[in-house]
Amino acid sequence: MKERSFRVYVEKDYLKFNAAHFIAYRGFREALHGHNYRVSVEVEGELGAQGYVLDFGIVKDVAKRVCNRLNEKTLIPMRSDCLTIREEGSQVVLNYEQDEFRFPKSDCLMLPIVHSSAEELAQFLAGEMRRELATEKVDGITAIEVGVAETPGQAAYCRETL
Ligand code: ZN
């Protein structure tokens, strides 16, 4: 029997977000810096009766919505094992060893990740895409893959089967 699978792939100029972050793990911390992140999305699924896996328009809308949540934010990895993170009134205070960062809470996006690496951001975005697509009531999706590029030609991917 022939094996056959279908997937749709979206990579657009507007699928991006600008964000500040630093990678930190025990014994190492990057300086605070930013990227113009680019996002790509691949959705694998069954070919529907209408001839497609799902409407490209839905993938684009959902991906754009998800990217917008991260745009112009400082990304805070809430599950970090080396940062102490607390809120003080309208501020977020991060401590790493003797260093302290303070940001207005409205400038921050608290993420359920350990590191704000492209890999973990891709994992977070894949989860967000999955949840958003569920609200769009699209059937027959078998996997989602999200790519996050910190710079052109340098991307990390996370693929989740559903
Ligand atoms: Zn970086």
Side-chain angles (χ1 to χ4, degrees):
M1 184 169 147
K2 254 186 211 163
E3 288 232 1
R4 183 179 289 130
S5 66
F6 294 91
R7 54 187 194 273
V8 295
Y9 179 77
V10 175
E11 186 181 11
K12 296 278 181 190
D13 285 344
Y14 56 78
L15 292 183
K16 62 176 188 213
F17 58 94
N18 306 327
H21 86 138
F22 59 85
I23 301 278
Y25 48 85
R26 288 187 191 287
F28 174 80
R29 176 180 72 75
E30 284 185 327
L32 179 69
H33 65 281
H35 296 284
N36 299 320
Y37 290 95
R38 309 298 299 252
V39 173
S40 64
V41 178
E42 188 171 280
V43 179
E44 193 176 302
E46 294 148 19
L47 193 66
Q50 68 288 73
Y52 46 71
V53 174
L54 81 166
D55 191 329
F56 275 113
I58 293 176
V59 188
K60 291 189 285 187
D61 285 353
V62 164
K64 183 73 193 139
R65 224 183 291 159
V66 168
C67 285
N68 282 346
R69 285 181 207 146
L70 286 75
N71 194 40
E72 297 189 348
K73 296 289 184 187
T74 298
L75 307 177
I76 311 290
M78 294 303 287
R79 294 185 182 158
S80 171
D81 57 1
C82 63
L83 298 173
T84 309
I85 301 162
R86 66 181 197 280
E87 290 185 15
E88 260 185 37
S90 63
Q91 301 208 300
V92 175
V93 184
L94 273 73
N95 288 91
Y96 173 84
E97 294 180 356
Q98 73 281 11
D99 301 331
E100 183 165 287
F101 298 86
R102 275 174 186 271
F103 303 102
K105 205 154 90 181
S106 55
D107 287 16
C108 295
L109 186 66
M110 316 302 243
L111 297 170
I113 57 179
V114 184
H115 313 95
S116 54
S117 59
E119 289 84 343
E120 291 192 42
L121 290 174
Q123 182 183 350
F124 170 74
L125 290 169
E128 293 291 287
M129 286 292 302
R130 176 165 34 77
R131 263 188 294 282
E132 290 284 336
L133 285 171
T135 69
E136 299 284 342
K137 297 181 173 52
V138 285
D139 297 321
I141 294 175
T142 52
I144 296 174
E145 183 174 288
V146 171
V148 173
E150 291 185 342
T151 54
Q154 184 180 313
Y157 294 86
C158 177
R159 178 186 155 87
E160 280 188 9
T161 53
L162 273 67

